[in-house]
Amino acid sequence: MKTQILRLASVVLAAALLALAFTAAPAAAFRDRDCSDFSTQAQAQRFYKKHHPRRDPHRLDADRDGLACEDLP
Ligand SMILES: [Ca+2]
């Protein structure tokens, strides 16, 4: 009986850890960047060009003219 409870507890714990790993993973893989994360436009532009400029997942180019964070110096 005691071993059955222990076995059940370990299965529940494993399932919980697995669920946590799956929900935590995407957040760690994608860290959203904003223009305020860069100090110069050139720096933002380099990052923008490296990270799917057509999809612009970080939305650094709101007006879609190919230039990221125009307001930066
Ligand atoms: Ca732009």
Side-chain angles (χ1 to χ4, degrees):
M1 185 66 184
K2 213 172 188 178
T3 54
Q4 271 182 325
I5 290 171
L6 271 175
R7 195 172 295 154
L8 185 69
S10 65
V11 167
V12 168
L13 185 69
L17 285 175
L18 206 65
L20 190 72
F22 272 101
T23 51
F30 185 84
R31 193 191 137 215
D32 186 36
R33 304 287 177 97
D34 303 309
C35 287
S36 57
D37 292 323
F38 305 97
S39 41
T40 64
Q41 194 275 331
Q43 204 177 54
Q45 188 71 23
R46 263 197 305 277
F47 180 87
Y48 165 77
K49 281 191 165 180
K50 272 193 205 167
H51 297 85
H52 313 284
R54 297 176 120 212
R55 283 197 289 118
D56 192 18
H58 298 271
R59 279 178 270 150
L60 300 176
D61 180 21
D63 59 359
R64 300 216 150 265
D65 63 354
L67 290 172
C69 307
E70 286 105 319
D71 293 338
L72 288 176

